[in-house]
Amino acid sequence: MGSIDASSRPIFSPMPTLLAFLEYDGSAFFGSQIQKEEPSVALALQRGLKSMGIASKVRFSGRTDRGVHATRQAVSFEVPYKKSDWGYFKEELNKKLFPYLRVRRLYPIREGLDPRFEAKSRAYRYLLSEEPLSAFASRYVTHARLGDERKIQEAMKLLVGWHDFALFKKSGSQEKSTLREMRRCWLYRYQSYWVFYFEANGFLRLQIRLLVGALLKVGRGEMSLEEFKEQLEAKRRFYCEGAPPYGLYLCKVSFESSIWEVRDRNH
């Protein structure tokens, strides 16, 4: 197919709502949300859609900050094309988004759903290398000393369950509630990297980077397990800097099966 035929546009409204899973190089953007004068993931996506005649609002499952990457961010928008043209639409859109942003998959969902409110869980990975990094890898992995792996694993076990993460969020950020359920988290080795994995029903701004930074302090013996637990219990702050954004990746957003217009086991 050389172009999307005008007959692809539906005669009746509403237009189909699609959920797109995106991957992007966060080092090219000042975060996922629209900025006044700086490049953002949302602006790049909107411009790509606009170049194809689509003026739909884009709705993200959650925000990522400057320098933070994604391998599976979820975004919804409406398209004026029938299902048979979605494959070609994705291919053409990716040409316009290249090289820092790409649509991985498209799925039809129920009309007008906002993935931010429909997501049941989100997951992040944080990549760390104890070996010196090349100039090409430095934007995608954090170089730091891990310390004692066993101490870090012990501290991460404390994170599982419901906690008030008030002392593990960006100062000044406004949240209706700082309670979150950490469902799974662990540290593992992958090739030459250490990988921190966190999965929860939601995250506060800067939460992962603050947790990773505090865990590294525990591993190096610069923060005791008791101090980490005290900060986790929102009693006293011992650490407030946050690890660098470069190694952080939004890697999964999960939804209830009820959002899908057409169910697919791969969701």
Side-chain angles (χ1 to χ4, degrees):
M1 183 186 296
S3 63
I4 300 179
D5 194 295
S7 64
S8 298
R9 297 178 179 272
I11 298 174
F12 302 104
S13 61
M15 294 187 293
T17 300
L18 298 184
L19 186 76
F21 285 107
L22 310 179
E23 60 184 17
Y24 49 83
D25 178 349
S27 67
F29 303 104
F30 281 67
S32 60
Q33 303 301 301
I34 294 286
Q35 308 290 321
K36 288 184 178 180
E37 299 179 353
E38 305 294 350
S40 67
V41 179
L43 181 60
L45 180 58
Q46 284 184 342
R47 284 176 173 172
L49 292 170
K50 187 176 181 180
S51 70
M52 299 186 70
I54 299 173
S56 171
K57 179 180 179 181
V58 295
R59 300 171 290 269
F60 282 67
S61 65
R63 67 182 298 160
T64 55
D65 292 329
R66 179 181 180 181
V68 177
H69 313 288
T71 57
R72 196 175 167 83
Q73 170 72 277
V75 182
S76 69
F77 49 81
E78 284 73 45
V79 295
Y81 303 122
K82 59 187 179 183
K83 185 175 181 180
S84 60
D85 286 327
W86 292 347
Y88 180 76
F89 160 71
K90 186 185 78 167
E91 180 182 335
E92 290 300 302
L93 179 59
N94 278 335
K95 290 178 183 178
K96 300 175 185 301
L97 300 178
F98 183 82
Y100 303 114
L101 172 61
R102 187 174 79 95
V103 176
R104 296 182 59 176
R105 300 288 297 272
L106 289 172
Y107 297 103
I109 58 173
R110 289 189 288 109
E111 176 191 347
L113 288 186
D114 189 329
R116 178 186 174 190
F117 302 109
E118 299 295 334
K120 66 177 182 180
S121 68
R122 299 165 179 84
Y124 284 86
R125 288 188 177 95
Y126 193 95
L127 275 59
L128 181 145
S129 173
E130 295 188 284
E131 301 297 325
L133 298 170
S134 73
F136 303 102
S138 60
R139 293 180 298 176
Y140 309 105
V141 182
T142 290
H143 172 54
R145 184 169 65 87
L146 184 76
D148 189 332
E149 177 193 356
R150 291 173 297 177
K151 288 183 179 180
I152 293 176
Q153 298 283 19
E154 190 174 355
M156 293 187 80
K157 290 178 182 178
L158 298 175
L159 293 172
V160 178
W162 283 94
H163 299 281
D164 182 352
F165 288 98
L167 300 186
F168 284 101
K169 73 177 184 71
K170 183 177 181 178
S171 179
S173 62
Q174 301 298 317
E175 305 286 348
K176 291 182 179 180
S177 172
T178 52
L179 291 173
R180 296 292 186 274
E181 181 189 16
M182 187 72 73
R183 293 173 179 170
R184 296 190 295 172
C185 63
W186 61 81
L187 172 69
Y188 64 95
R189 188 82 171 177
Y190 177 74
Q191 297 180 357
S192 62
Y193 305 118
W194 288 103
V195 182
F196 293 83
Y197 179 84
F198 302 91
E199 184 174 334
N201 64 338
F203 292 95
L204 304 170
R205 289 200 65 185
L206 208 63
Q207 181 181 343
I208 299 297
R209 291 166 57 191
L210 285 167
L211 285 173
V212 170
L215 289 166
L216 290 175
K217 289 282 189 182
V218 172
R220 298 168 190 158
E222 300 167 4
M223 176 189 287
S224 69
L225 194 62
E226 289 71 25
E227 289 172 335
F228 181 83
K229 184 177 180 181
E230 196 170 344
Q231 183 161 337
L232 179 61
E233 293 172 347
K235 294 178 179 178
R236 183 181 175 188
R237 191 190 304 273
F238 293 92
Y239 176 80
C240 61
E241 296 175 14
Y246 314 116
L248 184 57
Y249 295 76
L250 174 60
C251 62
K252 185 171 72 171
V253 183
S254 299
F255 299 91
E256 298 288 353
S257 60
S258 59
I259 79 161
W260 310 110
E261 182 180 288
V262 178
R263 297 193 177 187
D264 188 312
R265 293 182 181 179
N266 295 321
H267 298 153

